[in-house]
Amino acid sequence: MSDHASLPSPGWRVSSETGRLLDVLVCPPDHYRWMPLNSIVRRTLGEARQQPSAHHLAAQHAELCQALEQGGARVHRLRPEPHLPYMVYTRDSVAVTHAGPVLCQLERPQRRGEYAPLIDFHAANGSGFWRKSSAGTLEGGDIHILRPGLAAIGASGGRTDEAGAEQLAVWLRAEGWEVRVELFDEHFLHLDVLFCMAAPGLAVACTEVLDPGFLGWLAGHNIRCLPVSYRDAMALGCNILAMGNDTVVSARGSTALNAALRAEGLRVLDPELELFTLGGGGPHCLTCPLARDSE
């Protein structure tokens, strides 16, 4: 465990969603609360649930961090800021690529201030930004580095719009990458609500919602999808984190998917994360990979 005051300069790079996870960034949920920023949490609030307690949030987040360390990753922590309760979803503000970190441009006014602590974190660790999003909006939950040289970027017109997605796509294509910008309905928040990689050549996907053209494109690149229902996807069932070495982190509530992943021979680490999935984010949203081994 470490904080950003004591880390060496790592030259963080991620060239695949499924390479062995070495370093990962999280943010303690000290100030987290449910806010009506997406369809998932609006449904939660509409059910008149009480806001989660700080004690229970900390306990569930500790389970996540324990799973990450059990899977072999070094866990780094941002210092949470009281006015930025959704900092806990570290996936969105910065996406680390094969060439270094990309500073994203968040869409929601309540989250835009997250750029500042992320800039400070990377500066403190000598991790310079490769690119900074400046066209439209771009959020990390829509960026999927499928394997070296191949990426998909979701564009719902909400959190990530076509201008933001295409700007990143142009940068990656200039590096020789093949990139697909995938359009989908903003009801689903980010592409990682509908799709995530589990292992090399294996993804989980809400196949009843995703465009057949996207599924065909994945198949053409030898990526097979385990289907997840719409209902389970809206409970963040697709929102898993591949750790490499045939290991994934998936929320405990995703029982059907976790059984399917285990049937594929994967080791599933399943922390209890209901208080975060009810707020619109699962293991993928709660983590920002900083470094992975190359496949």
Side-chain angles (χ1 to χ4, degrees):
M1 303 176 197
S2 39
D3 63 27
H4 71 257
S6 61
L7 294 174
S9 299
W12 285 317
R13 300 289 185 272
V14 171
S15 59
S16 165
E17 288 274 344
T18 56
R20 184 170 68 94
L21 184 62
L22 305 175
D23 292 89
V24 62
L25 180 64
V26 302
C27 181
D30 296 11
H31 310 293
Y32 178 73
R33 65 183 186 276
W34 294 330
M35 299 174 67
L37 302 184
N38 59 67
S39 59
I40 295 168
V41 75
R42 284 194 292 271
R43 182 182 64 193
T44 297
L45 292 169
E47 294 170 351
R49 293 175 182 263
Q50 290 187 334
Q51 286 284 347
S53 72
H55 170 75
H56 289 124
L57 286 166
Q60 289 194 4
H61 199 265
E63 278 198 49
L64 171 67
C65 294
Q66 183 180 31
L68 295 169
E69 291 170 340
Q70 186 179 349
R74 289 180 289 266
V75 178
H76 309 288
R77 290 169 171 80
L78 281 174
R79 294 191 182 98
E81 299 194 7
H83 62 291
L84 297 171
Y86 266 45
M87 271 182 73
V88 69
Y89 297 122
T90 56
R91 175 70 55 166
D92 294 326
S93 296
V94 171
V96 182
T97 72
H98 72 293
V102 173
L103 183 65
C104 298
Q105 187 152 232
L106 302 189
E107 187 267 341
R108 287 289 189 264
Q110 298 90 338
R111 297 195 63 187
R112 287 179 190 158
E114 293 176 26
Y115 79 93
L118 267 299
I119 288 175
D120 291 345
F121 172 81
H122 284 274
N125 289 285
S127 180
F129 289 99
W130 176 53
R131 295 285 188 271
K132 295 172 183 168
S133 174
S134 61
T137 56
L138 179 72
E139 302 197 358
D142 285 311
I143 300 167
H144 295 260
I145 303 173
L146 307 179
R147 61 171 175 253
L150 185 68
I153 306 171
S156 68
R159 296 307 182 88
T160 296
D161 61 18
E162 287 190 67
E166 286 292 350
Q167 184 180 49
L168 177 57
V170 166
W171 292 332
L172 291 172
R173 288 169 185 148
E175 298 279 306
W177 284 55
E178 179 181 345
V179 184
R180 180 182 176 102
V181 173
E182 181 62 24
L183 306 182
F184 65 100
D185 194 285
E186 64 180 295
H187 168 73
F188 297 102
L189 180 59
H190 290 130
L191 187 58
D192 66 3
V193 172
L194 298 172
F195 170 87
C196 277
M197 293 297 295
L202 182 67
V204 300
C206 186
T207 53
E208 65 190 82
V209 168
L210 287 166
D211 187 274
F214 179 58
L215 299 174
W217 179 79
L218 292 169
H221 288 285
N222 298 313
I223 296 173
R224 181 168 55 91
C225 293
L226 295 178
V228 175
S229 70
Y230 167 81
R231 181 174 181 171
D232 286 350
M234 293 305 289
L236 280 296
C238 286
N239 198 264
I240 66 171
L241 177 71
M243 295 203 65
N245 287 342
D246 295 327
T247 299
V248 299
V249 179
S250 178
R252 189 167 303 154
S254 301
T255 52
L257 175 62
N258 294 347
L261 290 166
R262 290 184 175 112
E264 293 285 337
L266 298 179
R267 175 192 183 201
V268 179
L269 305 175
D270 58 349
E272 178 57 69
L273 295 173
E274 181 187 31
L275 298 179
F276 299 101
T277 57
L278 285 170
H284 197 262
C285 299
L286 289 161
T287 54
C288 178
L290 298 171
R292 290 183 182 269
D293 273 344
S294 300
E295 287 186 3

